[in-house]
Amino acid sequence: MRLTVIGTGYVGTVHAACMADIGHEVLGIDIDAERIASLSAGRAPIHEAGLSELLARTVASGRLRFSTSLAAGALFATTHFVCVGTPQRSDSDAADLRFVDAVIDGLAPHLRHGSLVVGKSTVPVGTAERLARRLAGAATGAEVAWNPEFLREGSAVQDTMHPERLVVGVTSERADAVLREVYEPMLRAGVPYVSTDPATAELVKVAANSFLATKISFINAMSEVCEAAGADATVLARAIGADSRIGPLFLEPGLGFGGSCFPKDIRAFAARAEELGAGAAVVFLHEVDRINTRQRLRTVETSRRLLGGSVMARRIGVLGAAFKPGSDDVRDSPALAVAMALQEQGAFVRVHDPEALDNARAACPELAYALDIPKACEDADLVLHLTSWPEYRRIDPVALAAVVREPLLLDARTGLDEPSWRAAGWTVHALGRPMRRTPELASGGAS
Ligand code: UDX
């Protein structure tokens, strides 16, 4: 099939390359000419596992090309995936739909008769219907469908090629048939396919993100109670996660969620529910957001407490800048927010990250950065573990103790092996854990 993918950010670039790889002829479109030039040369604009190879391969095959022209896209294909960003508005919690609207308006005059416009961007429920009305004016007989993506940064290619489910919101059998043809290899492999109306499809995405964000904030709320009660939130998480109705994933206590999706999506969802008169149903999302923000404050507070009440002129080595491991993305990164807050309170903060240093430098030029872990921790009075990169679990605490001024660790991701750090002479504090560990009754670590 011939497809266009409009918007070559995270979702669009991955979707375009994956669609070309499964055999479609794809034209990727973006208004950013520099990005299009680099994509046309087969270069990935983002750090994402497997994406560079995939882009190089599909561009070389000729099945993936790029353009800055929506008019060219409208002529190239009759199926168009819209993957532009829907950031938070600057004046409210609602989603800013100006990029989506601009794509629709740019396509409308050029669309071939009977085209299908498929939204992938995360949008407020009702958007597909609104866009369909907008397109109706152009009298092209074009239809609008919604097909949310669920890809996670760091495993975006894998998630697109082997999704856990495909969700399409359509208003005709014809649109459903087009989308079944697009995803034919996935359907053949047995991926569950949920075909529904556009409003339900739009809601599936925000409901899934809201549920996951709630799960993270739930365990972080428990972690606050555990800390107050002298209990251990990591043991608690393991114990409740063993119940198959709860499940162990997204139950890691710590600094909480960030990134380009969860924070803005739960706010936009609450704002949209409010508009629909259903705000009361999702009031809890405000609390989910507040609990999440509080983890950053807790980390800053605990750092101050560990340093005797003030961080002024103290050296702090920060491990991690990306919003999560496996990504170089620092958008709404909890790690950088903590690093900045400590620096603003007078600490000398030096940040390490295996992948996100360039982006972190651009976002927070006022912080100091180090290319390796010992350099970030040199002469530190306190070391903070803020992004759970696997590299940090491999740190030799004995060697690191030799470079710091004070072997004092705050593990805000509860991912480091406390006993081995303690054995190497470190004083270790972890969010949601008592300073001295209680015995792990009836857990994997107990005997
Ligand atoms: C998320 C959704 O998972 C994805 O389906 C959607 O399409 C986009 O948003 P992503 O932003 O890539 O994907 O990150 P994800 O892996 O879901 O993690 C989100 C945040 O939650 C990260 O900051 C992560 O560190 C944090 N997190 C995750 C926790 O704090 N605790 C956990 O137990 C799990």
Side-chain angles (χ1 to χ4, degrees):
M1 292 173 85
R2 284 183 153 215
L3 316 170
T4 75
V5 175
I6 303 162
T8 56
Y10 227 100
V11 174
T13 303
V14 173
H15 188 62
C18 290
M19 291 301 102
D21 203 46
I22 63 174
H24 300 306
E25 261 192 73
V26 182
L27 186 65
I29 300 171
D30 204 293
I31 48 173
D32 183 339
E34 215 173 292
R35 178 172 279 241
I36 287 299
S38 115
L39 283 164
S40 300
R43 276 196 305 275
I46 42 176
H47 167 86
E48 185 61 44
L51 183 61
S52 295
E53 301 80 335
L54 190 62
L55 262 182
R57 186 164 75 228
T58 47
V59 168
S61 75
R63 280 201 307 279
L64 178 57
R65 281 172 289 152
F66 293 92
S67 166
T68 52
S69 164
L70 279 175
L75 293 177
F76 175 82
T78 53
T79 306
H80 306 282
F81 285 96
V82 179
C83 302
V84 291
T86 50
Q88 187 176 329
R89 286 175 64 105
S90 54
D91 57 352
S92 77
D93 278 357
D96 183 346
L97 296 173
R98 85 176 83 156
F99 303 115
V100 174
D101 289 354
V103 167
I104 297 298
D105 293 345
L107 276 177
H110 310 287
L111 281 176
R112 284 160 58 188
H113 191 78
S115 289
L116 180 64
V117 177
V118 188
K120 285 194 93 62
S121 309
T122 303
V123 290
V125 58
T127 300
E129 200 187 331
R130 184 177 65 76
L131 296 180
R133 283 200 302 273
R134 209 167 167 120
L135 271 184
T140 57
E143 268 185 74
V144 178
W146 223 261
N147 168 219
E149 52 73 28
F150 302 98
L151 56 84
R152 294 159 297 176
E153 295 191 14
S155 56
V157 171
Q158 175 74 11
D159 290 347
T160 305
M161 292 301 223
H162 308 283
E164 289 186 326
R165 80 295 212 187
L166 285 161
V167 177
V168 304
V170 290
T171 50
S172 75
E173 279 182 20
R174 196 184 64 93
D176 187 60
V178 169
L179 287 164
R180 281 180 188 273
E181 195 182 338
V182 168
Y183 293 117
E184 195 274 333
M186 283 86 173
L187 298 189
R188 204 164 4 103
V191 172
Y193 179 85
V194 180
S195 181
T196 180
D197 55 87
T200 306
E202 289 164 333
L203 273 177
V204 167
K205 173 60 193 264
V206 285
N209 276 359
S210 298
F211 188 86
L212 293 170
T214 303
K215 205 171 172 193
I216 297 169
S217 277
F218 176 83
I219 198 61
N220 284 334
M222 292 306 106
S223 146
E224 291 181 41
V225 177
C226 280
E227 211 168 281
D232 189 328
T234 53
V235 177
L236 180 127
R238 202 155 62 231
I240 65 171
D243 183 328
S244 62
R245 293 167 302 174
I246 297 173
L249 302 179
F250 274 69
L251 216 51
E252 282 161 30
L255 191 44
F257 58 80
S260 64
C261 289
F262 282 174
K264 74 146 174 99
D265 286 354
I266 60 170
R267 289 173 201 149
F269 185 23
R272 181 61 181 144
E274 195 84 37
E275 277 172 17
L276 292 168
V282 292
V283 159
F284 71 94
L285 288 177
H286 296 295
E287 197 53 42
V288 166
D289 200 5
R290 270 195 292 270
I291 293 169
N292 192 54
T293 307
R294 208 155 61 222
Q295 305 319 307
R296 303 174 187 197
L297 301 175
R298 243 175 111 204
T299 305
V300 172
E301 268 306 306
T302 308
S303 302
R304 202 166 45 210
R305 193 158 43 78
L306 290 174
L307 289 175
S310 166
V311 300
M312 182 60 80
R314 307 300 292 275
R315 290 189 181 279
I316 299 179
V318 164
L319 303 179
F323 85 101
K324 69 169 192 179
S327 167
D328 65 351
D329 199 338
V330 298
R331 285 176 290 176
D332 203 350
S333 164
L336 275 189
V338 167
M340 281 298 292
L342 290 167
Q343 170 105 350
E344 276 156 19
Q345 292 180 21
F348 299 121
V349 178
R350 195 175 291 148
V351 182
H352 172 267
D353 192 282
E355 296 291 346
L357 280 192
D358 289 345
N359 287 340
R361 249 193 219 105
C364 301
E366 48 281 87
L367 293 172
Y369 295 94
L371 289 174
D372 60 49
I373 298 168
K375 201 88 202 130
C377 300
E378 204 172 61
D379 294 329
D381 299 297
L382 171 67
V383 172
L384 296 183
H385 175 228
L386 301 185
T387 309
S388 41
W389 284 98
E391 300 52 357
Y392 299 148
R393 287 196 292 276
R394 293 195 293 266
I395 289 174
D396 173 2
V398 176
L400 200 63
V403 308
V404 296
R405 220 170 64 84
E406 189 66 45
L408 179 59
L409 171 74
L410 172 55
D411 182 0
R413 288 290 180 187
T414 57
L416 303 179
D417 181 47
E418 243 184 85
S420 64
W421 283 73
R422 268 226 203 81
W426 289 77
T427 303
V428 181
H429 186 84
L431 286 193
R433 274 192 187 157
M435 277 294 259
R436 281 219 318 274
R437 291 189 79 173
T438 49
E440 291 189 13
L441 297 173
S443 81
S447 54

